[in-house]
């Protein structure tokens, strides 16, 4: 399943606000179709890292290279903002913790899903709508609510809509920031199930930031554990969670009640 | 040695004397009469009556004289006087459809029954200072001008004209204003509670500061709560004021009022019943107060956001924000109260800050010592 | 024209020559980048903001003694604001004015494009209230400038999509957004969408002035101007079942006038010159 050449290469990535605040000297690779979890406590630098990775925060040092559909390596921050924004709405996706940050709350669900299509030049209303309906079905939303605004949706439904809005252009790489945070446990479980199916089905590469080790275990194949802005441990998810090597990871794992 | 100021009473009385002197100006210049203000600053009088909530040109002119031309102060004077008046009766609602029209324009139809009647207006004047007014002397006066597109000959008599918006209502193109028969709120008798009903909202807006409403109305035009306005009709003229006392059982006319009314036609919306219609905003003010009326109509429409499933994201759409800050008597009072002594509170803050700073310098010196 | 015809104490066309040069420099930039909004140091004018101060400043900056000026508002030469602006320029330049579209070298307009096709030696000057076509989707100037720079225009179609989802068809009838020269999205000013096709690849120069917002933009001659739409919901212009009650035209933009209190309606050409030319031709024939 995992091909030989990586999709994303992160080299010596640094963005510090103060010593140990932010992230420093981060290196890792992500392969096509792979789900990487970034875990750590709040303040560990995982959100800063995600913001740098997803093109929304310029790092102070290091580089992020991405191999695009045409097999060309692009240095993210050497691209013009024009090219970077284009990448963000075509080959990449971003699922925010708060749906409000990722959706246009003032326009219908259908328009939310269709926006990326229209942004890349899709000009057939009927097609855009048909794909909106298809995606609503794929994320298990009631298709009769395609003309309703997200404000009338529940928290779980808003997250599904946000996912549909991102996946409609068939991105290859999706960033997720605590996608199940703030949802009820039962809603969380269904959403995770959906995400897992979509990821496998679409062969998506995902970088998911979470403080919830259960979410990480369920979705991520590989884990990166962060503390004070540094990666303290990384490896296959089961390995890291079942046999943590570093004292900090051991502490982190033991603090979670095992089911 | 410095002795803290006492003699407040004397200081106040001296200040009042100085104010009176300032207001009178150079005594070699003829004193301005209340009648002159009424006749020659009619638009100032209109604003003071509207926001002061009393229709009395003489009292409003007096307030302007007494306030040395500070209109917010004049409005305050009128409101303070209003408090002392007893309420004898409630008049019948005025009927602006029966207005004796002196000016009526519609920006939505090139021509309509009665035509466009410009009346007295600054519109279409070129804003070039007219130095002729520096010299005293008679000036030319004209008759009320009706636009050349009108079928009516130019004519200085007030006219009766049907209102524009009901024509659209009849074709079901415009949401209707329906009187549900409920007694209107009285914001001068009851404290506001939000969300408030339309009558309370409109009352607040009528009394609201012209400048504040103007800025809010303008912000909707620039995209902060846009509502696609068209000035459907603006009319100014005399309306009858009637009273139906219970003990008499019939209606008597007690006088006439000059009012300006603005009915704004706003962008259409799909109503809960499924129909698509234009929406509307309403403005009314005493005298000729067009800017106020138009701003009021824009804000009235912006405040209807909830009725049309619009996102309330902009200041002009926030009912509580708009209504609780639009009254300039309240606003001016609270801002100006900062001039009152706050010695005690300030002293308390001062003492705390000094203590915090001292503590910090103690800490930092103690840290520096080992080095 | 001689100086005596100009109002005492004022420069030709009101503005001083420095200001006119500043505006003309901004105009050159605007023409070089079709559809791009060029900021300029807009001046206070003796008319209120929103009444055409942008158009008036452009006219003042480009008008010369040999120009023939036509001013229309809502398509008509006789509407109050058109009369007022024409009088202003007559007073302050002494140039010849006309109501005939064909005779004019400069046409200042509010809300219409004349029905008669414009020629290569004519300049059409639009009065613009809100120059930013993205404004009602994104109120922040900082963000809209970035969207233009990055050609990030997806949201424009989101608006059209919403119209169709809600009303079954695109519900924008005036100030209908256009794409100029395949690059910038531009507000054509609040002309009815009926007039949009008249902007496309015409021989005349089109200038746009927004006084209050201090922006100038332009469409050079023969430049492509396309109205945004969807393939399956193509751009369409307004049509009337009625004809003009004066000249009988069945293809011009018609204004509705109300004849009586019962709301009886009649329709007349909004372009008064076009209407009267047709009536005259009829009389000759």
């Amino acid at each position: 399943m995992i091909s030989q050449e990586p999709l994303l290469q992160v080299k010596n990535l640094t963005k510090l606000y103060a010593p140990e605040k932010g992230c420093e000297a981060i290196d890792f690779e992500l392969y096509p179709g792979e789900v990487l979890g970034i875990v750590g406590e709040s303040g560990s630098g995982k959100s800063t890292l995600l913001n740098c990775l997803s093109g929304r925060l310029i790092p102070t040092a290091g580089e992020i290279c991405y191999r695009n559909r045409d097999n060309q390596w692009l240095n993210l921050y050497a691209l013009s903002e024009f090219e970077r924004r284009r990448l963000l709405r075509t080959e990449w996706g971003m699922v925010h913790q708060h749906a409000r940050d990722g959706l246009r709350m003032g326009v219908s669900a259908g328009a939310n899903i269709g926006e990326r299509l229209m942004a890349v030049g899709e000009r057939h209303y009927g097609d855009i709508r048909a794909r909106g309906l298809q995606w609503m079905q794929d994320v298990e939303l009631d298709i009769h609510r395609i003309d309703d605004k997200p404000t009338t949706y529940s928290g779980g439904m808003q997250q599904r809509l946000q996912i549909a809005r991102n996946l409609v252009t068939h991105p290859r790489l999706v960033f997720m920031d605590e996608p199940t945070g703030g949802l009820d446990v039962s809603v969380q479980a269904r959403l995770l199930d959906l995400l897992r199916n979509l990821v496998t089905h679409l062969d998506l590469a995902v970088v998911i930031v979470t403080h919830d080790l259960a979410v990480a275990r369920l979705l991520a194949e590989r884990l990166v554990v962060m503390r004070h802005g540094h990666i303290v441990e990384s490896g296959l998810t089961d390995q890291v969670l079942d046999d943590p090597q570093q004292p900090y990871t051991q502490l982190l794992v033991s603090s979670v009640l095992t089911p | 040695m410095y002795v803290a100021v006492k003699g407040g009473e004397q200081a106040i009385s001296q200040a009042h004397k100085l104010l009176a002197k300032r207001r009178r100006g150079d005594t070699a210049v003829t004193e301005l009469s209340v009648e002159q203000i009424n006749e020659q600053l009619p638009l100032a009088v209109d604003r003071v009556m509207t926001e002061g909530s009393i229709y009395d040109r003489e009292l409003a002119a007096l307030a302007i004289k007494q306030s040395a031309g500070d209109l917010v102060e004049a409005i305050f004077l009128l409101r303070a006087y209003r408090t002392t008046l007893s309420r004898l009766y409630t008049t019948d609602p005025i009927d602006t459809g029966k207005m004796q029209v002196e000016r009526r324009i519609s920006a939505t139809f090139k021509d309509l029954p009665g035509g466009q009647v410009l009346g007295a207006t600054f519109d279409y004047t070129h804003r070039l200072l007219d130095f002729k007014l520096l010299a005293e002397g008679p000036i030319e006066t004209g008759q009320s001008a009706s636009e050349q597109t009108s079928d009516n000959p130019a004519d200085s008599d007030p006219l009766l004209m049907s209102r524009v918006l009901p024509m659209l209502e009849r074709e079901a193109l415009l949401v209707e204003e329906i009187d549900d028969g409920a007694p209107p709120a009285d914001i001068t008798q009851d404290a506001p509670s939000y969300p408030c009903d339309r009558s309370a909202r409109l009352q607040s807006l009528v009394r609201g500061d012209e400048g504040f409403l103007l800025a809010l109305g303008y912000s909707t035009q620039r995209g902060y709560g846009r509502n696609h306005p068209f000035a459907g009709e603006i009319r100014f003229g005399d309306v009858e004021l009637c009273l139906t006392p219970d003990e008499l059982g019939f209606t008597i006319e007690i006088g006439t009022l000059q009012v300006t009314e603005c009915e704004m036609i706003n962008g259409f919306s799909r109503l809960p019943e499924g129909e698509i219609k234009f929406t509307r905003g309403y403005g009314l003010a005493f005298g000729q107060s067009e800017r106020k009326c138009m701003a009021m109509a824009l804000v009235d429409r912006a405040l209807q956001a909830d009725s049309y499933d619009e996102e309330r994201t902009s200041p002009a759409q926030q009912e509580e924000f708009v209504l609780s800050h639009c009254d300039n008597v309240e606003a001016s009072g609270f801002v100006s109260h900062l001039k009152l002594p706050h010695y005690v509170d300030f002293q308390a803050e001062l003492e705390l800050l000094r203590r915090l700073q001292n503590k910090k310098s103690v800490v930092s010196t103690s840290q520096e010592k080992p080095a | 024209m001689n100086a005596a015809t100009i109002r005492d104490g004022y420069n030709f066309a009101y503005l001083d020559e420095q200001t006119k040069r500043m505006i003309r420099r901004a105009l050159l930039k605007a023409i070089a980048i079709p559809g791009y909004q060029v900021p300029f140091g807009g001046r206070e004018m003796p008319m209120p903001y929103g009444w055409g101060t942008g158009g008036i400043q452009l006219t003042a900056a480009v008008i010369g003694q040999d120009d023939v000026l036509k001013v229309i508002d809502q398509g008509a030469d006789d509407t109050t604001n058109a009369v007022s602006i024409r009088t202003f320029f007559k007073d302050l330049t002494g140039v010849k004015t006309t109501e005939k579209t064909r005779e004019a070298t400069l046409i200042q307009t509010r809300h219409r494009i004349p029905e008669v096709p414009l020629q290569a030696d004519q300049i059409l000057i639009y009065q613009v209230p809100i120059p930013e076509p993205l404004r009602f989707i994104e109120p922040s100037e900082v963000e809209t400038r970035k969207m233009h720079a990055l050609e990030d225009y997806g949201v424009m179609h989101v608006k059209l999509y919403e119209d169709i989802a809600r009303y079954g068809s695109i519900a924008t009838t005036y100030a209908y957004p256009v794409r100029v020269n395949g690059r910038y999205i531009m507000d054509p000013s609040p002309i009815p969408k009926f007039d949009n096709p008249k902007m496309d690849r015409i021989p005349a120069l089109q200038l746009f002035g927004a006084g209050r917002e201090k922006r100038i933009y332009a469409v050079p001659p023969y430049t492509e101007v396309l109205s945004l739409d969807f393939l399956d919901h193509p751009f369409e212009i307004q049509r009337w079942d009625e004809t003009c009650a004066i000249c009988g035209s069945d293809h011009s933009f018609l204004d509705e006038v109300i004849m009586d209190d019962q709301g009886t309606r009649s329709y007349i050409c909004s372009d008064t010159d076009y209407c009267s030319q047709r009536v005259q031709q009829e009389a000759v024939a």
Side-chain angles (χ1 to χ4, degrees):
Chain A
M1 184 104 161
I2 289 172
S3 73
Q4 294 308 305
E5 222 185 335
L7 190 65
L8 193 73
Q9 281 186 321
V10 180
K11 294 172 206 155
N12 190 34
L13 188 73
T14 300
K15 171 73 194 178
L16 286 179
Y17 299 101
E20 302 196 340
K21 287 275 167 249
C23 62
E24 191 172 14
I26 305 291
D27 290 282
F28 71 85
E29 289 180 340
L30 181 76
Y31 286 84
E34 186 186 27
V35 179
L36 176 77
I38 302 177
V39 297
E41 301 169 299
S42 62
S44 62
K46 57 188 193 308
S47 295
T48 305
L49 175 59
L50 189 79
N51 287 339
C52 288
L53 292 177
S54 56
R56 292 171 305 146
L57 184 64
I58 300 174
T60 34
E63 57 185 40
I64 298 163
C65 295
Y66 168 72
R67 185 167 56 82
N68 74 2
R69 277 204 174 104
D70 304 327
N71 227 13
Q72 291 169 311
W73 280 99
L74 308 174
N75 182 338
L76 188 60
Y77 289 99
L79 296 177
S80 66
E81 192 172 357
F82 175 80
E83 295 165 309
R84 202 155 55 229
R85 276 206 186 192
R86 185 163 181 86
L87 194 62
L88 276 168
R89 61 180 186 240
T90 54
E91 299 197 19
W92 290 12
M94 174 79 211
V95 177
H96 297 263
Q97 176 178 3
H98 303 290
R100 218 158 246 290
D101 299 330
L103 294 174
R104 273 186 203 282
M105 301 307 275
V107 302
S108 69
N112 265 288
I113 301 176
E115 179 170 353
R116 277 168 72 113
L117 292 173
M118 294 183 258
V120 298
E122 183 65 61
R123 291 291 176 267
H124 191 284
Y125 173 82
D127 287 352
I128 293 166
R129 192 163 175 87
R131 286 168 70 181
L133 287 166
Q134 183 58 51
W135 271 105
M136 289 197 57
Q137 236 161 15
D138 290 350
V139 299
E140 296 163 23
L141 283 171
D142 177 1
I143 56 167
H144 296 107
R145 300 200 55 187
I146 187 168
D147 293 330
D148 294 350
K149 291 180 185 171
T151 39
T152 66
Y153 280 27
S154 70
M157 287 164 66
Q158 288 179 355
Q159 285 309 58
R160 285 162 192 275
L161 183 60
Q162 215 194 148
I163 290 161
R165 170 180 162 91
N166 273 284
L167 297 188
V168 68
T169 49
H170 295 287
R172 303 165 74 214
L173 172 59
V174 176
F175 300 96
M176 298 186 185
D177 186 8
E178 307 270 10
T180 57
L183 298 178
D184 292 344
V185 179
S186 64
V187 177
Q188 238 184 55
R190 280 188 55 203
L191 190 68
L192 283 170
D193 199 40
L194 173 79
L195 272 176
R196 201 161 56 161
N197 287 335
L198 286 172
V199 166
T200 326
H201 191 67
L202 301 169
D203 198 21
L204 276 180
V206 176
V207 176
I208 178 168
V209 159
T210 180
H211 70 280
D212 187 339
L213 296 182
V215 170
R217 189 190 280 279
L218 203 66
L219 285 179
E221 287 142 10
R222 224 150 43 89
L223 277 192
V224 156
V225 183
M226 288 192 69
R227 189 189 187 205
H228 295 333
H230 290 268
I231 294 179
V232 293
E233 184 163 358
S234 64
L236 293 175
T237 304
D238 292 345
Q239 247 171 27
V240 172
L241 294 184
D242 298 339
D243 183 20
Q245 301 298 304
Q246 296 296 318
Y248 175 72
T249 317
Q250 289 163 0
L251 191 71
L252 200 66
V253 173
S254 66
S255 66
V256 181
L257 292 175
T258 38
Chain B
M1 185 191 139
Y2 177 78
V3 178
V5 183
K6 290 268 194 264
E9 206 170 313
Q10 207 188 342
I12 289 172
S13 110
Q14 286 302 331
H16 289 173
K17 280 185 195 145
L18 283 172
L19 173 64
K21 198 174 162 207
R22 178 90 199 263
R23 181 171 57 226
R24 177 59 185 87
D26 184 349
T27 48
V29 178
T30 327
E31 185 175 353
L32 192 59
S33 73
V34 166
E35 207 179 351
Q36 282 174 324
I37 294 172
N38 184 11
E39 289 300 322
Q40 295 174 38
L41 300 175
L43 300 180
V45 170
D46 291 344
R47 178 176 174 192
V48 171
M49 290 196 303
T50 299
E51 292 171 39
S53 279
I54 294 187
Y55 191 91
D56 189 316
R57 302 199 68 87
E58 189 182 30
L59 289 179
L62 168 62
I64 292 168
K65 179 175 177 177
Q66 189 180 331
S67 65
D70 178 340
L71 295 191
V72 174
E73 182 70 23
I75 290 161
F76 184 18
L77 285 168
L78 213 55
R79 287 267 190 97
Y81 174 74
R82 188 183 196 279
T83 314
T84 66
L85 302 176
S86 45
R87 287 158 184 262
L88 303 174
Y89 291 102
T90 301
T91 62
D92 299 342
I94 56 169
D95 182 355
T96 52
K98 298 209 175 107
M99 179 187 284
Q100 293 289 307
V101 172
E102 284 182 39
R103 165 167 164 80
R104 190 283 293 273
I105 53 160
S106 167
T108 50
F109 295 103
K110 184 168 187 177
D111 201 3
L112 61 175
Q116 309 267 9
V117 179
L118 287 187
T121 176
F122 290 120
D123 298 351
Y124 312 111
T125 60
H126 299 154
R127 269 54 164 206
L128 305 168
L129 277 174
D130 183 357
F131 296 105
K132 276 182 290 189
L133 293 176
L134 274 177
E136 285 163 44
I139 47 155
E140 47 188 297
T141 52
Q143 302 214 303
S144 95
S146 108
E147 211 182 320
Q148 59 271 49
T149 58
S150 159
D151 296 335
N152 284 53
D155 159 350
S156 60
D157 293 334
L159 304 160
L160 257 178
M161 288 178 202
S162 24
R163 288 160 64 220
V164 176
L165 272 68
M167 299 181 198
L168 291 171
E169 280 179 28
R170 274 203 298 271
E171 288 188 70
L173 292 169
L174 178 73
V175 297
E176 283 178 65
E177 296 280 24
I178 295 161
D179 183 358
D180 61 5
D186 185 345
I187 61 161
T188 65
Q189 301 288 295
D190 305 308
S193 72
Y194 304 107
C196 63
D197 75 22
R198 184 94 184 286
S199 62
R201 187 196 288 163
L202 290 171
Q203 283 169 39
S204 298
L205 294 177
V206 172
R207 287 156 61 103
D209 183 75
E210 180 173 313
F212 179 75
L213 296 181
L214 178 68
L216 284 173
Y218 175 49
S219 73
T220 67
Q221 289 181 278
R222 288 195 74 256
Y224 292 84
R226 194 192 191 202
N227 56 37
H228 304 261
F230 294 93
E233 180 173 20
I234 296 168
R235 52 169 57 204
F236 159 65
D238 287 359
V239 291
E240 277 181 7
L241 192 64
C242 294
L243 195 64
T244 314
D246 287 339
E247 55 270 41
L248 289 183
F250 56 86
T251 301
I252 45 176
E253 192 201 318
I254 57 171
T256 59
L257 293 179
Q258 275 194 320
V259 295
T260 307
E261 181 184 56
C262 170
E263 291 206 275
M264 209 62 92
I265 302 172
N266 301 81
F268 52 80
S269 180
R270 189 181 287 283
L271 307 180
E273 309 85 67
E275 304 157 292
I276 306 173
K277 288 182 177 179
F278 284 121
T279 59
R280 61 202 292 175
Y282 187 77
L284 186 83
F286 288 150
Q288 189 168 11
S289 307
E290 264 169 53
R291 190 187 303 119
K292 167 65 183 278
C293 266
M294 295 178 75
M296 174 177 167
L298 289 173
V299 176
D300 172 46
R301 173 59 186 82
L303 291 177
Q304 296 168 40
D306 280 351
S307 315
Y308 301 114
D309 189 27
E310 294 160 344
E311 251 194 310
R312 287 202 295 165
T313 50
S314 304
Q317 298 169 312
Q318 312 294 333
E319 180 185 76
E320 186 169 345
F321 176 80
V322 172
L323 300 188
S324 57
H325 298 111
C326 70
D327 190 290
N328 60 27
V329 177
E330 288 170 7
S332 153
F334 200 55
V335 168
S336 65
H337 110 284
L338 295 174
K339 294 185 283 188
L340 292 179
H342 285 78
Y343 314 140
V344 174
D345 298 352
F346 186 68
Q347 186 57 50
E349 294 279 294
L350 198 58
E351 189 274 335
L352 175 63
L353 179 59
R354 287 216 178 93
R355 197 147 44 84
L356 293 174
Q357 283 195 341
N358 284 337
K359 203 187 267 173
K360 199 175 155 204
S361 68
V362 169
V363 172
S364 54
T365 24
S366 65
Q367 276 172 344
E368 278 159 22
K369 257 176 194 163
Chain C
M1 145 17 258
N2 62 65
T5 55
I6 304 177
R7 191 188 270 257
D8 272 354
Y10 288 93
N11 194 32
F12 180 80
Y14 190 76
L15 293 175
D16 62 283
E17 295 304 317
Q18 283 295 336
T19 300
K20 290 186 193 172
R21 265 197 287 278
M22 175 273 292
I23 295 173
R24 287 196 294 260
R25 276 195 292 268
L27 274 173
L28 288 175
K29 183 169 180 181
I31 293 165
I33 317 171
Y36 171 74
Q37 301 164 48
V38 182
F40 81 110
R43 301 287 193 256
E44 301 277 347
M45 296 300 281
M47 286 84 159
Y49 282 126
W51 294 52
T53 55
I56 292 167
Q57 288 181 76
L58 293 193
T59 300
V62 300
I63 197 167
Q65 299 176 356
D66 302 327
D67 272 310
V68 180
L69 178 70
K70 172 180 165 84
V71 182
I72 51 173
D73 187 339
Q74 313 298 303
D77 299 88
D78 61 353
T79 35
T80 37
N81 203 34
V83 171
S84 167
I85 293 171
R86 188 165 55 240
T87 312
F88 175 75
F89 279 112
K90 227 175 185 167
D91 258 18
L92 289 154
T93 66
V95 304
K96 195 173 165 227
T97 60
T98 183
E99 296 194 358
K100 296 198 175 74
T101 302
R102 288 203 201 285
E103 280 182 1
T105 57
L106 288 180
I107 303 171
Q108 180 169 331
T109 180
R110 179 169 168 266
H111 296 191
R112 271 316 304 278
I113 299 175
E115 305 288 2
V116 176
L118 300 177
Q119 312 291 324
D121 54 357
Q122 294 183 306
I123 301 178
L124 183 60
I125 296 170
Y126 296 78
Q127 302 174 194
V128 180
I130 305 271
E132 180 50 75
L134 306 171
R135 176 65 68 240
F136 300 113
I137 292 163
E138 175 52 65
S140 156
E141 178 76 14
V142 174
E143 190 50 32
T144 53
R145 286 187 77 85
K146 199 178 260 182
M147 289 161 80
H148 281 298
L150 302 176
E151 262 186 276
D152 192 355
Y153 289 141
V155 286
M156 289 308 282
H157 275 86
V158 168
K159 157 81 174 73
L160 301 183
Y161 173 99
E162 282 295 270
D163 276 359
I164 301 172
R166 261 178 108 87
Y167 303 111
S169 63
I170 295 172
T172 303
T173 57
Y174 61 92
Y176 192 106
V178 293
R179 188 153 194 165
V180 180
N181 201 29
R183 176 60 179 87
Y184 284 96
I185 300 263
M186 186 186 92
D187 185 325
S189 90
I191 54 171
K193 65 177 181 174
F194 180 88
D195 286 340
N196 276 22
K198 295 183 195 158
M199 307 178 83
D200 185 27
R201 283 167 292 190
I202 60 168
L205 171 63
Q206 304 175 71
L207 305 178
F208 299 79
R212 188 177 40 79
E213 302 275 342
K214 300 181 176 52
R215 294 288 185 277
I216 287 171
Y217 52 101
V219 176
Y222 303 106
T223 304
E224 184 188 70
V225 178
L226 290 182
S227 304
L228 303 186
D229 63 0
F230 285 106
L231 294 170
D232 50 342
H233 286 267
F235 173 79
E236 283 175 338
I237 61 171
Q238 291 97 338
R239 303 203 180 283
W240 288 259
D241 297 332
E242 297 80 3
T243 54
C244 172
I246 300 171
C247 74
S249 166
D250 60 358
H251 52 268
S252 49
F253 192 93
L254 300 180
D255 277 342
E256 189 172 319
V257 287
I258 300 177
M259 310 298 288
D260 56 32
D261 287 352
Q262 283 68 54
T264 312
R265 286 168 286 162
S266 180
Y267 293 82
I268 53 168
C269 285
S270 118
D271 184 338
T272 45
D273 169 55
Y274 181 73
C275 194
S276 60
Q277 297 292 329
R278 276 176 56 90
V279 170
Q280 274 177 27
Q281 276 164 20
E282 199 88 336
V284 171

